[in-house]
Amino acid sequence: MEDEKSFSDICGGRLALRRRYYSPYCREFGLSSARLSLWSLTAVTCTVWLAAYGLFTLCENSMILSAAIFITILGLLGYLHFVKIDQETLLIIDSLGIQMTSSYASGKESTTFIEMNKVKDIIINEAIYMQKVIYYLCILLKDPGKPHEISQVVPVFQVSTMLSLLP
């Protein structure tokens, strides 16, 4: 069984939450964010290149234009490969564990698996962001030496950690 709901983030962007039920003991949740807009990419590129052209006319040094092109390309590749997350999935298998997968805009995927015996609790945490209270899902991990204490707090959906999931 599969269903999908749409939400918006605090900036008005679109988020899609997909739920799949493979069995009573295995569920998958996926969160997809909006793709990188061609308009925003063009606006940033034009701004950097116009600023570089303005400096070029003042200094008459062609290295400024070459550096602006080089920095823009490297910045875009870095953003797509390390920052822009397109989709995150959370696969929960009751007796085994939780698998979190992040898919970046460049195609890179990052997967983390947490064994169920290391999970102390799953909570909805709250934070204040720009005069708003936002909520996000976290997994509390047990400390191996002290099982009644928390060793780590793991936010589940990184793309929505600073986003509000209100319909």
Side-chain angles (χ1 to χ4, degrees):
M1 185 172 130
E2 181 176 335
D3 65 343
E4 187 169 321
K5 290 186 179 182
S6 291
F7 297 92
S8 59
D9 62 17
I10 58 175
C11 299
R14 186 187 147 276
L15 294 173
L17 177 66
R18 186 188 72 253
R19 296 184 289 187
R20 289 184 183 160
Y21 300 97
Y22 298 110
S23 75
Y25 308 107
C26 182
R27 299 168 298 287
E28 181 180 54
F29 300 91
L31 187 65
S32 302
S33 64
R35 296 279 180 181
L36 184 62
S37 155
L38 186 60
W39 173 251
S40 64
L41 176 65
T42 305
V44 169
T45 303
C46 288
T47 302
V48 170
W49 288 0
L50 284 174
Y53 185 71
L55 285 174
F56 168 72
T57 57
L58 291 174
C59 301
E60 295 183 7
N61 186 353
S62 63
M63 284 295 280
I64 294 174
L65 292 176
S66 300
I69 292 170
F70 187 68
I71 289 171
T72 304
I73 291 172
L74 283 181
L76 178 64
L77 289 175
Y79 177 76
L80 292 176
H81 195 68
F82 298 112
V83 177
K84 178 67 174 123
I85 298 175
D86 278 343
Q87 181 178 346
E88 289 184 290
T89 58
L90 180 72
L91 179 65
I92 302 171
I93 303 171
D94 286 348
S95 61
L96 192 58
I98 300 170
Q99 177 178 306
M100 299 181 297
T101 303
S102 299
S103 301
Y104 292 84
S106 66
K108 173 184 143 183
E109 284 194 355
S110 172
T111 302
T112 305
F113 184 78
I114 301 171
E115 295 175 24
M116 200 55 84
N117 61 359
K118 293 182 180 178
V119 175
K120 181 172 179 76
D121 204 356
I122 297 176
I123 62 168
I124 297 175
N125 205 0
E126 61 184 29
I128 298 174
Y129 176 75
M130 303 285 294
Q131 303 163 343
K132 288 184 178 183
V133 177
I134 59 171
Y135 304 94
Y136 56 95
L137 195 61
C138 287
I139 299 172
L140 302 178
L141 300 180
K142 293 178 191 174
D143 189 354
K146 302 172 187 170
H148 296 293
E149 293 187 15
I150 299 168
S151 67
Q152 191 175 0
V153 178
V154 180
V156 174
F157 293 113
Q158 297 288 327
V159 74
S160 69
T161 297
M162 295 306 291
L163 303 176
S164 175
L165 293 177
L166 299 175

